[in-house]
Amino acid sequence: MALVVFFVAAALALAGAVGVVAFREPIRSVLSLVVVMLGLSVLFLLLSAQFVFVVQIIVYAGAVMVLFLFVIALMGPAREMARTKLRFQAWLSALFVVVLAGLIWAMLQGVQYRQPDKTDLSIFGTVQSIGVGLFTTYLYPFELTSILLLVAAIGAIYLSRKTIDDL
Amino acid sequence: MTLTVIWLLPLIGAALIAFMPPRFAKWFGVVVAVAALAVAAGVAFFFEPGYRGYQFTEVVPWIPQLRIFYRLGVDGISLWLIVLNAFLTVIALLATPITTRHVNRFVALMLAMSAGLAGLFMAVDLVLFYVFWEAMLIPAYFLLWIFGEGDRPARAAIKFVLYTLAGSLMMLVGVIAEYVVTGKQTFDIATLATLPPAPAVQFGLFFVFALAFAIKTPLFPFHGWLPDAYMAAPTPMLVTFAGVMGKSGAYGFLRIAVPLFPEPVGWWDWRWVIPVLAVGAIIWGALMAIAARDMKLLVSYSSVSHMGFIVLGIFSFNVQGQQGALLQIVNHGVIIAALFLIVAWISDRVGTRDRSAMAGLALRMPIMAGVFFVVVLAALGLPGLNSFVGEFMTLLGAWQRAPVLALFGGIGIVLAPVYMLRLFQGIMQSAPAGPVPRSDIYAGQLVLLAPLVVLMFAIGLDPNVMTNLMLSVALPGPIR
Amino acid sequence: MSTLDIGGSQIDTSWFLLLGAVLFTIGTIGVLVRRNPLVILISIELMLNAVNLTLITFSRQLQNIEGQLFALMVMTVAAAEAVVGLAILVDIFRVRDVEDVDELSEMKG
Amino acid sequence: MSNQTLALLVLLFPAAGAILLVGRGWRLPRIVTVIVGPGVVWASFVITLALFFGKVSGDFTYWTWIKSGTFEVPFNLLVDNLSIFMCLVITSVGGLIVTYSVGYMEHEDDPSYARFFTYMDVFIFSMLLLVLAGNFVFLIVGWALVGLSSYLLIGFWYQRRSAVLAARKAFVMNVIGDVGMILGTFVLFVMFHSVTFATVFREITNPNYCTPAAICALPLRIVTDGPGIELAAFLLLVGAIAKSAQLPLHTWLPDAMEGPTPVSALIHAATMVTAGVYLIGRMHPIYDIAVYAHGAVAIIGAVTALFAATIAIVQTDIKRVLAYSTMSQIGYMFLAVGIGAYSAGFFHLLAHAFFKALLFMAAGNVIHAMHDEQDMRKFGGLWRQLRLTSVSFLVGSLALVGVIPLVGYFSKEQILGAAFSKPDDPLALGVWVIGAVTALITGFYTGRMWWISFAGKPSPERPVEHPHEARPVMLVPVLILAALAMVGGFIQTRALGIGPSAVSDFLSSAVGPVRWEGGAEDVVVGLATMALATLLFLAAYRVYVQRTWKPWSTALPWAQRLLERKYYFDEIYNAAFVRPMDAVANFGLRDFEEPILDGVVVNPGAAVTAGASSLSLTQSGYFRNYVLVFVGGAVVATVIILVRASS
Amino acid sequence: MLAADLSYSWSQALADLGQIAPIATLTGFFLFAIVTDLVLPKQRRGNAVAMVAVAGYAYSLGTAVYRWRFAQGGYAYHQFATGDNFALFFEVLFGTLGILTVAVSHPYLRRRGMLESEFHILIMAAVIGMMVLGAATSLVTVFLGLELLSIALYIACGFVRTESRSQEAATKYLLIGGFASAFVLYGMALVYGGAGTTVIPVIASRLGSSASGNPLILLGIVLMGVGFAFKVSAAPFHMWTPDVYQGAPIPVTAFMSVGTKAAAFAMIIRVFAGGLPHLAPEWQALLAFVAATSMVVGNLMAITQTSLKRLLAYSGIAQAGYILIGVIAGGPTGLAAVLYYLFTYMFVNFGAFAVITMLAAPDGDRDSFKDLEGLGRRSPLMAILMTVFMLSLAGFPPSVGFFGKLFVFTAGVSAGYTWLVVLALVMSVVSVFYYVRVLIPVWSASTRTDRVSAPFSSLAAIALSGVASLALGIYPTTLLVVSQLGANPITGP
């Protein structure tokens, strides 16, 4: 049963990913990324990461992607032309990427996994455990993310001002 | 403390003069230089001839993490270069025309260069040696470039710097490697001299050091920078540039390369390569001097030839050769300074440096002719004048090493009168022709030359004074 | 070689990892071949998602919550990056209509 | 006054004179120059006499000039009969000539006048130093200093380009000789660890390392360290032939005639050019062992004698004739010392100093009277106007030819006799033949010179119609020398097999007794040679004055040309050495230094720059290229890691 | 078990906060600056924020120094951060850099009529990011610090919104930066998978040398290494550097050219030397490759440049190569050398950029060679200082440049990487050529007479840099001692 789910979700994600790269219109790329995210969120669920699953759907697929959509709407549907100044770019990238992927693939074959530390999977990945982790061990990183977001906000504000003088 | 004064004093003087109104600059500079000379002379005076080792040593921990020390000291070898440097600096500053543009900067840079040289000759720590070795490039570069003559001084300057760096950066590898391979982790030259690495390693290390020194000296194939640099250099600078800095390469051979790497033997034997190159320099320099029509160029190439004798003496690995080389270092310093000064004075009286464009000047400037002739005789190694002793001893040393070296060196001695007399007779003698010189030598210039000429006679008549002091050598070697 | 027991059925860990690797690679391809800066940004997001998958897989395999927390951090960062990136792009679009990153090649050499 | 200071004084007087006259000497009144110039020479002559009569001899060390390891050079003067003999010759003849030049140079303006005497005194000093030096280094010092003064005096009239060139030529040739001597000194130093004559000669004659003395017999010594000594001897010989203008380093001497005539008389006839002979004599312990070098000395001497004599036949410049005859006479001396007849060689040196100085000064008078015309074809018939000069010139010429009882006969015949008297020695015999032939030629060219200049009618293009006899100051020295040339021979008449042998006896302590076991036949042969030479002398009258006999040159014009071009030596040397040197030098400066040496630096520089600019094309400005390179780098990195980890 | 996790005592909280005190204080001032910016009227904002910023830097600098002298460094927040000497060293470095940046950038922004306040706030954020990076002992914190720093700089690069170049720089930097951080992140994920934790010391203790057989770790090293190399702008991951440096406003360039480099090196040392000591051979091989390429590429490309910014960018690439030699050599001497080099390099490179900043005109930066013409007469002091900086970059004694190289190369040779050192020296012959080329317009005679207006703050900053880059060379000992202490936490005393 889970196996089926896995394959469906994985296929969905892969399809979406291909779509991201393949589609000419940005809007379709965005939508296919949403597809990827949905697929991944299912996998997260399989991997008993319920909280992340929720966040993935609500925040990521929800908020961030919507942001992208807004921007695209703002810019208008710019279609990518076929012509390019860079010859060999595609071929070389294909070559490199294939090699890189091959290498990664080859390496991931002989992986030696660590022995799992014994925790009871009943509460693994629940909001509760996440919360505990987030506010004890990950307190410091958590605070850092807040600063990060603050900076991002300031930057966005600065950059999206009409002119120097307003505000 | 004394030695520190010798190099720090000119440096401080330079710093002050740089921001001084030009009209005081020259004389203040002279005062500083004379003070430094006085200190150096004091050192020479209280020098212990018999003592085997460094004297007036100063040891201050500098970078203890790497066992780098601020180590100064003089022995029978370095003493002479220090005195020569201080002395020629005074001459050079006196020879500086007060009308030079930015004369204060010029004087400051000159003092800085002489400070670097003084430090170089007193440094007993490999890193300190290297620091001074490269630091003195900076003033030299600016002097060549900003105050240089000719159409492209900048090119000559950068060429000089790159040439030198190509060698000295390789030397830096050597310095570091010496610190590592000896296992003792020290930069103290005296200590390093007691633990030579394995011959194979020596082969490599000697190469990097020798390359730096060979370029600086310069030996035969590495002298490409010299004509441009000497042609570009302003005359007062040449007094110390050719007179002292030119010697730093030879000093490096004598102080670093030979004692630290007694047997640099690999695929072939460096102890034979270098003297062969030296002979090459002797003959090639002489030939180029014969062909040169520009007086300054001629003198520059003659310097290449003479430096060849010095290196030849050093690499004869016997006491006569090395003492002769040291004598010759001083002699050549004195002679080349006088030659460049005279040539410059003549050419600015006549308005050209092309020796074939003038003739019979002796009629108009008899005194100049007389002084010039004495200097020429000294340069071509006439007995009774200083250069004869040095060349005789270097050749004797070379002969003891391998007669064929001395034989070819002898060719250099035969060629010397050819170019020197071609120069002197060509411009001074036969029926007057070409431009008419404005005047004979000025009294001031004569006074400036007097000490040099006196030295030529003094060293020629009683060289023993010098060789006696040379006996106090710090590092193991033939002289000791 | 380890397998994850999910709802009774065994799924090999490396499948998840390989899926992540593939997604990451596809993202790379996107960055390499797409010219629309926005799409490039999207591809980067895709790469980050691939990383998230990897993290969470490991977290499950190690039964160690840290991976999921890390993934959350990554999401935040990704969001921030997206915001700033979009802001910059919008800023540019305001001046000129750039649908091709190759047009941003004024500085070279 | 101790002998030590005495010996030093010999040097100091000329030195002091030179120092006094140099510098601003010409500001002094001319009279001072007149007094000081010759005065100092006479002073040291007097002191030399004191040494002579005081029978002073010894090796006086004054101070250590330089000491470096085992290489120690004292400043020491070796006073023995040989050096005293040389000093006597130098100071006496020198004194006469310097006095003579007081008159000869009077036309010079004050500065040049003072300059001339300065140079003269410098020369006297250097020459005395040369002969008094007690070690090789100071021998070389003196050797080079006489070279310098010779250079200065040849180029005395430095406005004349020819004089300048001649001076440079002489200097360079002499430096070649100096280098030879320096290297020879090296050899000896390496062998004996000393440069003082005393030590070296003691080591050579009875080496402390070969005992018992029986083993030290000559043949064995030649085996033991013969090669080294041979080498040293040959190298020293180079110095000798350069200084004495022997083949093949002779070309400078004829040109040296550019100098004032007194200079030619003193330096290029009487003293300096004979330094080579002195050197061989001084080094006789070495040459006694170095048989090959010794033989070479004899051969070179003989060949040069003949060679120079033949050239003298065709010369028209009176001074050049004398110059070549000088070369030829010095050839005799080399011949003598070459076959071991040292004292005979020195006797001829003395005699030659007398009559050649005489000839030169007489010629100087003539030239003076002819207003510096030197071409003898333009003289003719001077016999009537310049009686005294002509007579003394005749005396000199006859002495040169070797007419008994003039000094020339005794000295030359003693040499020839010494050579002839060793029938068992092929070398000696060979050089005797050459010497005899040379004697005959000498007779001919001397006759030619005298007859053309003084006999016959005045030549039409004679510059001066009624020349005046020279002033006493120029005449008296000539007459003195003429007298010496006439009676000088009687101090050593061994050529006749009888009578005194003052010179040989005096020098025997220094150079060993003259090896002379001749008998009556030698005397006869000598007289015969003399007779033939005299006949040729007279024959020249018929050829060149009466013109009743055809000159030989009409028979063989090619020989005439060959001789006039001096066997093409100058041309050969130019083609062989000077031009190639200049060519190489110019080529190097033009085509090596700039293009190649600079190229070594510039081309790599250019290459680097080119590489850089082509490399900077990769910085295309396209973002995607950057990413591409990024990924490529990542791939390479992965490979590296894999390799590293798997290794 | 959860209860146990939740127990977090007050004293513990204080201790933790103490360890990251410099970061915390600076963050406080950062927030205060934002508030100031919001409340004050426009014309007074700029100066006020600048004040706050300087105060913040100074305060956190002081805190760091204080803790260095008197406090016991240790881990905090479950070993996610640390206050050890290494962290403190970099906090001091970044604090100084911040002050210098404000001193130089403030007049610049004034002249160009830009908003100072946001700029300072962004730079503060970047500095915080750098400090976090210096103090991070967990992959997570490393990543967050990296991102904080990067995001702040993305915006700063595009700060001149009216300039297309500035925007282009921002875009390129953002896109390729995001790309690179994805790589880093993937690497971290794999390492986490291999080690089961993100805490660096724990990783170090868990991964023995056997881990070199584990693909996860190896791949992690590759991907992280690639990203790190990107951050230190080492070839072949350097391509963004010249464009971004050229496009960004000069103060930003100056700031990032030294700040980012230092932070990235701190990160490399922490993660590789600190976290993966047993896999040293692997990452050393990787870094050696990177170092070699950077030295060659950087020095060669710099020759043909005509823009000082680009030239210094390439020189920065080359310098990164030199510094990497020290990292590869490792050990107390190697790391001490690296820290020394970074600290002095801050003064030298920043000073060089600062001098160019002085040339800027209201309508844009002036960074071509001809803009330097006649500087010797237009502002002798600037000219002398520029000379000092160039000679120091070229590595002439007695300036710091020489000693930095000396120490690094000594470590390199001692560690057996002689070939790298030789390559480095050969390339530095090339480097002298272009560094000296900069001086030619400075000192050669020119007709330009317009004075260079140097406001006091900038002048002070530049002069300080100049003095430092000489003094720290003539007497490098103290700084070297400090560097060794700073390296202790990684190498062990």
Side-chain angles (χ1 to χ4, degrees), chain B residues 159 163 221 223 284 287 291 301 320 323 363 383 389 392-393 396 399-400 407 422 425 430-431 460-461 464, chain D residues 64-68 71 144 151 158-159 164 168 183 186-187 189 581-582 585-586 589 592-593 597-598 601:
Chain B
K159 192 173 171 188
Y163 247 105
H223 65 282
W284 186 254
L287 284 176
Y301 276 118
Q320 290 86 11
Q323 286 194 341
L363 217 56
V389 197
F392 189 92
M393 285 169 70
L396 176 56
W399 179 275
Q400 288 166 326
L407 198 61
R422 275 190 185 181
Q425 295 183 319
S430 75
L461 292 179
N464 225 6
Chain D
T64 303
W65 182 62
I66 193 163
K67 178 177 189 326
S68 153
F71 177 70
Y151 163 85
Y158 61 80
Q159 310 273 15
V164 171
R168 189 195 303 162
L183 296 182
F186 290 168
V187 177
F189 174 74
M581 179 188 72
D582 281 337
N586 290 321
L589 190 60
F592 180 80
E593 287 284 311
L597 262 189
D598 262 13
V601 192

Side-chain angles (χ1 to χ4, degrees), chain E residues 75 84-86 269-270 272-275 277 283 326-327 329-339 483-493:
Chain E
Y75 294 114
D84 58 14
N85 283 347
F86 187 80
I269 293 172
R270 272 279 186 220
F272 281 171
W283 53 262
V327 179
T333 50
L335 295 188
V338 171
L339 296 198
S483 316
Q484 279 173 328
L485 291 177
N488 273 348
I490 309 294
T491 62

Side-chain angles (χ1 to χ4, degrees), chain C residues 64-78:
Chain C
N64 172 333
I65 200 68
E66 233 186 300
Q68 300 189 9
L69 299 172
F70 201 160
L72 285 174
M73 300 294 148
V74 174
M75 286 185 184
T76 333
V77 169

